């Protein structure tokens, strides 16, 4: 056979495409034209970029199903105190475990030259370091890149005039921090389609490569490879994939509250009849809500509504990266007083290291009241005792339960962390600027809508996320168009590896 101007992988693509047409009952003859002339050769980097654009278009048109990420960890601060997921980056794909954080925007992982990065973890998960030089699909982001400019607008990126490298510096609420530079590479992800798990999709994204960690991020006890920011700014993975037309501009999670932990995390909107929605406060960097009042045992607490007002230094934030929950100072004392007055005939109040606790021998569900956080639009978040109490220990045969809500001294900020968010479906509908929730058993299956701007919807059983789905069985369930797209996707990945 005479030498062809195309790499072998591209020649194979043409052959398999013809076979796919036959399988799909399409006309067997196509007129094909060269995308690159026979006497012209492009650099490999140009070919890769060309394939990336094609790949994104293919994902947009094929309907890839629900993108899901596995969930590990638990809210319990005595065990783990965080929820995290595993994702794959680069070529070939490498695993990275990252904390699920709705309070920040950027996905970042540790890089090989990192100073202060732990090398092992008490979570018994291997820690990896991303190396842009070992991934042929990776590229650095310069200050002139439009994606860097988007980060500058939201303070998610910084630029150095010395090296024209787009970088970042983040400080978190616990005093820890990280800094590094941005790279672009492939994110590999699983999807659920027709009740089966598919695991061979990818898309180019921009993420952080951390070279420095400080504070608690340097500790090994619950160390992970990085943080997966699910914020609503342009640099978040949710926004990036939505801008490529791959996923909706929405995501949902359901975090299991028992000690085994885990749960569900999907890009899309979980559909459940009992979900109530409340609007997001516009033009805020976080997921700020209009909290209007707090009720204990059906009685609204006497708290000035201005305590829950939203401004540059106060408001109510939903944050999965926070383990407990925090109340503005003016709301905390009435909250504690109301609960204590109800339960004091049956329990013994106990102050433990500044926390309000109670010694008791009965079930907390028999003694402690229901709490309602009341938001704009008539949406109430109902908290059972396990949503605001944490079991600490036992003293002389009695169990010690402590209020998990903490007071923020001198500030009007309320933060609802995993203590409150667990055992609930929580939907972040960024496109429609609203958040919804419903109490739910997160070990059960859920339905997820993958509606894009096309108006089409697909509902799938995301309860299969924990199962080991087989791509082979999926081939028998595909429509002809989906089958063609799937095979082309496999071929494109082969081309990446060839290049």
């Amino acid at each position: 056979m005479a030498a062809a101007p195309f790499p072998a992988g591209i020649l194979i693509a043409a052959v398999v495409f013809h076979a796919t047409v036959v399988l799909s009952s399409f006309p067997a003859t196509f007129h094909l034209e060269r995308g690159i002339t026979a006497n012209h050769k492009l650099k490999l980097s140009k070919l890769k970029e060309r394939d990336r654009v094609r790949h994104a278009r293919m994902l947009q048109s094929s309907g890839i199903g629900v993108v899901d990420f596995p969930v590990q960890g638990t809210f319990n601060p005595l065990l783990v105190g965080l929820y995290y997921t595993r994702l794959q980056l680069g070529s070939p794909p490498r695993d990275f475990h990252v904390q699920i954080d709705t309070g920040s925007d950027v996905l970042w992982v540790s890089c090989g030259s990192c100073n202060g990065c732990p090398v092992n973890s008490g979570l018994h998960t291997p820690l990896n370091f991303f190396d842009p030089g070992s991934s042929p699909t990776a590229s650095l982001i310069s200050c002139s890149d439009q994606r860097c400019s988007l980060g500058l607008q939201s303070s998610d990126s910084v630029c150095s005039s010395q090296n024209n490298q787009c970088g970042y510096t983040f400080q978190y609420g616990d005093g820890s921090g990280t800094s590094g530079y941005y790279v672009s590479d492939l994110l590999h992800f699983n999807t659920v389609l027709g009740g089966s798990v598919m695991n061979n999709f990818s898309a180019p994204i921009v993420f952080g490569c951390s070279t420095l960690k400080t504070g608690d991020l340097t500790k090994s006890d619950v160390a992970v490879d990085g943080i997966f920011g699910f914020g609503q700014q342009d640099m978040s993975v949710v926004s990036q994939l939505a801008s490529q037309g791959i996923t909706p501009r929405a995501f949902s999670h359901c975090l299991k509250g028992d000690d085994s932990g885990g749960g569900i995390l999907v890009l899309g909107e979980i559909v459940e009849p009992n979900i109530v929605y409340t609007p997001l406060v516009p033009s805020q960097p976080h997921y700020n809500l209009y909290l209007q009042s707090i009720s204990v045992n059906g009685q609204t607490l006497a708290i000035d509504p201005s305590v829950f007002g939203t401004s540059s230094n106060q408001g109510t934030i939903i944050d999965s990266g926070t383990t407990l929950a925090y109340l503005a100072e003016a709301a905390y004392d009435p909250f504690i007083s109301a609960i204590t007055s109800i339960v004091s005939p049956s329990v013994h109040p106990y102050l433990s290291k500044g926390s309000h606790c109670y010694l008791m021998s009965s079930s907390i569900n028999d003694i402690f009241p229901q709490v309602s956080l009341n938001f704009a639009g008539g949406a109430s978040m109902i908290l059972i005792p396990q949503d605001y109490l944490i079991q600490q220990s036992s003293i002389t045969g009695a169990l010690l339960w402590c209020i998990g809500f903490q007071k923020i001294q001198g500030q009007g900020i309320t933060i609802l962390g995993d203590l409150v968010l667990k055992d609930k479906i929580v939907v972040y509908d960024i496109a429609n600027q609203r958040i919804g929730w419903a109490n739910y058993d997160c070990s059960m299956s859920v339905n997820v809508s993958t509606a894009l701007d096309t108006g089409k919807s697909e509902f799938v059983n995301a309860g299969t996320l924990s199962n080991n789905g087989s791509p082979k069985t999926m081939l028998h369930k595909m429509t002809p168009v989906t089958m063609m797209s799937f095979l082309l996707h496999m071929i494109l990945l082969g081309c990446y590896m060839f290049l």
Side-chain angles (χ1 to χ4, degrees), residues 132 162 222 252:
Q162 297 178 345
V222 290
S252 310

Side-chain angles (χ1 to χ4, degrees), residues 118-257:
V119 295
N120 50 61
S121 173
L123 299 176
H124 305 294
T125 58
L127 297 182
N128 289 321
F129 295 85
F130 185 78
D131 179 13
S134 65
S135 175
T137 49
S139 60
L140 302 181
I141 302 298
S142 68
C143 290
S144 58
D145 193 300
Q146 182 182 5
R147 294 168 291 185
C148 185
S149 301
L150 293 175
L152 290 172
Q153 297 173 16
S154 57
S155 300
D156 286 326
S157 64
V158 294
C159 263
S160 171
S161 57
Q162 297 178 345
N163 57 13
N164 195 34
Q165 176 66 57
C166 186
Y168 60 89
T169 298
F170 299 135
Q171 291 295 132
Y172 298 98
D174 62 357
S176 61
T178 186
S179 60
Y181 57 91
Y182 283 109
V183 298
S184 174
D185 208 339
L186 295 178
L187 168 68
H188 305 263
F189 45 84
N190 295 336
T191 69
V192 177
L193 184 64
S196 295
V197 177
M198 308 285 291
N199 56 6
N200 286 301
F201 289 99
S202 62
I205 62 163
V206 174
F207 59 93
C209 196
S210 277
T211 56
L212 174 67
K213 290 184 182 179
T214 60
D216 285 348
L217 290 176
T218 65
K219 298 179 180 179
S220 297
D221 49 351
V222 290
V224 288
D225 293 312
I227 290 180
F228 197 163
F230 277 85
Q232 56 185 318
Q233 304 302 320
D234 291 325
M235 292 293 282
S236 74
V237 170
V238 175
S239 295
Q240 290 186 59
L241 294 180
S243 68
Q244 297 178 49
I246 296 173
T247 62
R249 199 156 183 255
F251 68 96
S252 310
H253 60 64
C254 196
L255 308 174
K256 290 175 61 178

Side-chain angles (χ1 to χ4, degrees), residues 10 13-14 17 32-35 46-62 202-204 244 246 484-485 487-493 495-496:
I10 297 179
F17 178 80
L32 302 179
E33 297 181 2
R34 295 181 184 272
K46 294 292 184 181
L47 290 172
K48 292 172 187 173
E49 184 60 31
R50 187 169 175 270
D51 281 349
R52 287 182 190 178
V53 174
R54 175 186 175 92
H55 189 197
R57 286 201 306 267
M58 183 191 70
L59 290 176
Q60 180 178 3
S61 62
S62 64
S202 62
Q244 297 178 49
I246 296 173
M484 179 175 68
S485 299
L487 290 176
L488 281 174
H489 170 77
M490 297 296 101
I491 295 158
L492 284 176
L493 287 180
C495 293
Y496 280 132

Side-chain angles (χ1 to χ4, degrees), residues 90 109 131 134 209 318 348 355 455 499:
V109 296
D131 179 13
S134 65
C209 196
I318 298 283
H348 299 285
S355 295
L499 295 175

Side-chain angles (χ1 to χ4, degrees), residues 307-325:
V307 171
F308 303 121
T310 298
S311 66
S312 59
N313 60 356
Q314 73 176 76
T316 301
I317 299 170
I318 298 283
D319 179 18
S320 69
T322 294
T323 302
L324 302 176

Side-chain angles (χ1 to χ4, degrees), residues 212-426:
L212 174 67
K213 290 184 182 179
T214 60
D216 285 348
L217 290 176
T218 65
K219 298 179 180 179
S220 297
D221 49 351
V222 290
V224 288
D225 293 312
I227 290 180
F228 197 163
F230 277 85
Q232 56 185 318
Q233 304 302 320
D234 291 325
M235 292 293 282
S236 74
V237 170
V238 175
S239 295
Q240 290 186 59
L241 294 180
S243 68
Q244 297 178 49
I246 296 173
T247 62
R249 199 156 183 255
F251 68 96
S252 310
H253 60 64
C254 196
L255 308 174
K256 290 175 61 178
D258 59 25
D259 288 347
S260 64
I264 293 173
L265 174 63
V266 293
L267 301 189
E269 180 181 344
I270 293 180
V271 180
E272 164 65 27
N274 296 323
I275 293 179
V276 294
Y277 283 92
T278 189
L280 283 167
V281 179
S283 305
Q284 295 295 314
H286 303 291
Y287 293 112
N288 286 63
L289 304 179
Y290 297 100
L291 178 61
Q292 297 178 330
S293 66
I294 299 176
S295 301
V296 175
N297 211 28
Q299 299 297 313
T300 302
L301 302 183
I303 302 173
D304 188 332
S306 64
V307 171
F308 303 121
T310 298
S311 66
S312 59
N313 60 356
Q314 73 176 76
T316 301
I317 299 170
I318 298 283
D319 179 18
S320 69
T322 294
T323 302
L324 302 176
Y326 296 80
L327 276 179
E329 184 174 11
Y332 182 83
D333 292 336
F335 176 71
I336 296 295
S337 297
I339 291 177
T340 302
S341 65
I342 292 174
V343 304
S344 55
S346 305
V347 303
H348 299 285
Y350 187 91
L351 197 62
S352 175
K353 298 179 181 179
S355 295
H356 292 272
C357 304
Y358 308 90
L359 279 170
M360 54 185 296
S361 55
S362 303
S363 168
I364 58 173
N365 292 320
D366 296 334
I367 299 174
F368 282 83
Q370 194 176 81
V371 172
S372 176
L373 306 179
N374 307 310
F375 295 88
S380 292
M381 182 179 289
I382 306 301
L383 308 183
I384 61 175
Q386 288 86 347
D387 294 333
Y388 61 85
L389 293 171
I390 296 178
Q391 183 181 335
Q392 293 281 43
S393 59
S394 61
I395 300 177
T396 62
L399 295 177
L400 182 66
W401 288 85
C402 297
I403 298 288
F405 278 73
Q406 308 298 305
K407 180 194 295 187
I408 297 186
Q409 298 281 357
Q411 297 185 47
I413 297 177
T414 294
I415 303 174
L416 305 180
D418 295 334
L419 173 67
V420 172
L421 302 178
K422 64 179 173 55
D423 296 320
K424 295 176 182 64
I425 292 171
V426 183

